[in-house]
Amino acid sequence: MSKTVLITGATSGIGKAIAQLFAQKKYKLILCGRRQDRLDGLKETLSKHTAIATINFDVRDRKAVFDAIASLPKAFSTIEVLVNNAGNAHGLELFDVADIDDWDAMLDINVKGLLYVSKAVLPQMIERKSGHIINIGSTAGKEVYPKGNVYCASKHAVDAINQAMRIDLNEHGIRVGAVHPGLVETEFSEVRFKGDTERANKVYQGYRPLKPEDIADIVHFVISRPYRINIADLVVMSTDQASSTIVKKDL
Ligand code: NDP
Ligand code: 8X3
């Protein structure tokens, strides 16, 4: 019987690529996001490979998170793998002019949302003394770059929470690890720049950014190791990227 994997932020980018790969690998999938049309489309396409359930909630809404996970049909209620992927950057501004609403959104989604989903899924893992949580962090959680301020802070928090979960859940036999990507071409910059597609596209021009499929492949490697192995922390960048601010652009 294949494992059940819950993926947050499955409607786009990295989460969607994980959903597509994992469906081909025959994992049972619970796909989460807010855009119902996209959840419906994924369910229709991926159901030819595996069993799919979708749940729609905003990770910021604590009650909605717990209700949605409690509402899963029995066939999907044993979650072996949780991929905490939902998140975004909102804005790229110097600290003094950045929008406080953007700061709230990033802390609420990237940090508190990840905490809520983890708390909602954890009890059953603890009961079984088995489970695997993958937190999608970022290179922005390993260093700070100009104008990245609160996005970087939110991803540093993910890095800290990843370590904290691994320490505190150790006695329960649960695997916890993070994958920290560098620049990946997704809708991330479109969201960060509030729909300014021209500005967003420029982020990925002149070099070879990572593709969401690259991260999906790595997450699959992480979850498919024998249970004695826990890949605790993995930073992955495009060959053309050396750090958040050093990217070799000559294409
Ligand atoms: P996308 O914008 O393509 O995807 C973001 C996903 O998160 C969407 O599925 C979106 O679904 C979901 N999401 C956003 N806000 C909420 C919310 N409030 N409630 C529920 N779901 C939400 O970006 P990426 O795929 O690039 O980002 C995925 C993760 O990877 C994020 O955590 C990001 O920080 C991280 N990351 C991205 C990198 C990059 O360069 N692209 C690099 C390093 C890390 P919906 O809108 O339907 O709710
Ligand atoms: C996304 C990568 O460099 O835009 O986390 O922060 S970056």
Side-chain angles (χ1 to χ4, degrees):
M1 179 83 140
S2 62
K3 287 182 176 174
T4 299
V5 181
L6 186 149
I7 305 164
T8 66
T11 54
S12 171
I14 294 170
K16 183 177 173 185
I18 295 171
Q20 288 168 329
L21 178 66
F22 283 23
Q24 284 160 26
K25 301 277 182 193
K26 309 290 181 203
Y27 291 94
K28 279 166 71 174
L29 299 179
I30 303 162
L31 307 181
C32 313
R34 293 165 301 174
R35 286 169 285 184
Q36 190 60 44
D37 55 332
R38 292 196 183 195
L39 290 173
D40 292 343
L42 279 167
K43 186 170 180 175
E44 199 182 321
T45 323
L46 301 183
S47 289
K48 64 173 180 277
H49 300 296
T50 188
I52 307 277
T54 62
I55 37 179
N56 184 327
F57 56 84
D58 187 322
V59 294
R60 286 172 287 197
D61 184 337
R62 192 204 300 197
K63 185 174 182 307
V65 169
F66 280 81
D67 286 352
I69 289 166
S71 77
L72 283 166
K74 199 162 170 30
F76 290 90
S77 61
T78 303
I79 298 163
E80 274 106 351
V81 181
L82 163 63
V83 185
N84 275 321
N85 164 74
N88 276 119
H90 293 270
L92 181 70
E93 298 290 349
L94 291 170
F95 191 89
D96 52 324
V97 292
D99 185 333
I100 295 181
D101 288 338
D102 284 344
W103 286 357
D104 281 343
M106 290 185 280
L107 294 171
D108 288 346
I109 298 166
N110 302 353
V111 183
K112 290 170 72 180
L114 180 147
L115 292 172
Y116 297 158
V117 175
S118 304
K119 264 287 209 189
V121 170
L122 256 176
Q124 44 154 306
M125 289 185 174
I126 289 174
E127 202 179 312
R128 293 194 309 275
K129 297 230 167 281
S130 165
H132 196 165
I133 300 174
I134 313 285
N135 296 306
I136 303 295
S138 170
T139 45
K142 298 291 188 181
E143 54 180 311
V144 176
Y145 55 83
K147 303 182 181 178
N149 44 68
V150 174
Y151 178 66
C152 295
S154 75
K155 288 297 179 174
H156 275 70
V158 172
D159 189 26
I161 291 163
N162 180 62
Q163 295 175 56
M165 277 185 185
R166 192 166 55 249
I167 292 165
D168 290 353
L169 301 175
N170 171 265
E171 65 179 289
H172 300 294
I174 295 169
R175 296 199 281 192
V176 181
V179 175
H180 301 275
L183 291 153
V184 189
E185 188 166 9
T186 64
E187 293 175 19
F188 177 87
S189 291
E190 216 175 304
V191 174
R192 169 170 253 176
F193 300 131
K194 303 175 195 306
D196 183 341
T197 319
E198 209 181 313
R199 192 174 173 201
N201 288 341
K202 279 196 188 130
V203 174
Y204 307 111
Q205 282 166 5
Y207 69 105
R208 295 157 299 177
L210 292 171
K211 299 175 181 167
E213 293 77 16
D214 301 330
I215 304 302
D217 190 36
I218 286 162
V219 173
H220 181 255
F221 177 81
V222 169
I223 72 152
S224 57
R225 295 311 84 209
Y227 203 79
R228 68 178 182 283
I229 300 171
N230 179 41
I231 297 186
D233 206 52
L234 199 55
V235 177
V236 52
M237 286 184 273
S238 152
T239 304
D240 292 335
Q241 182 177 13
S243 75
S244 292
T245 49
I246 301 173
V247 181
K248 184 170 159 289
K249 291 193 175 186
D250 54 13
L251 293 180

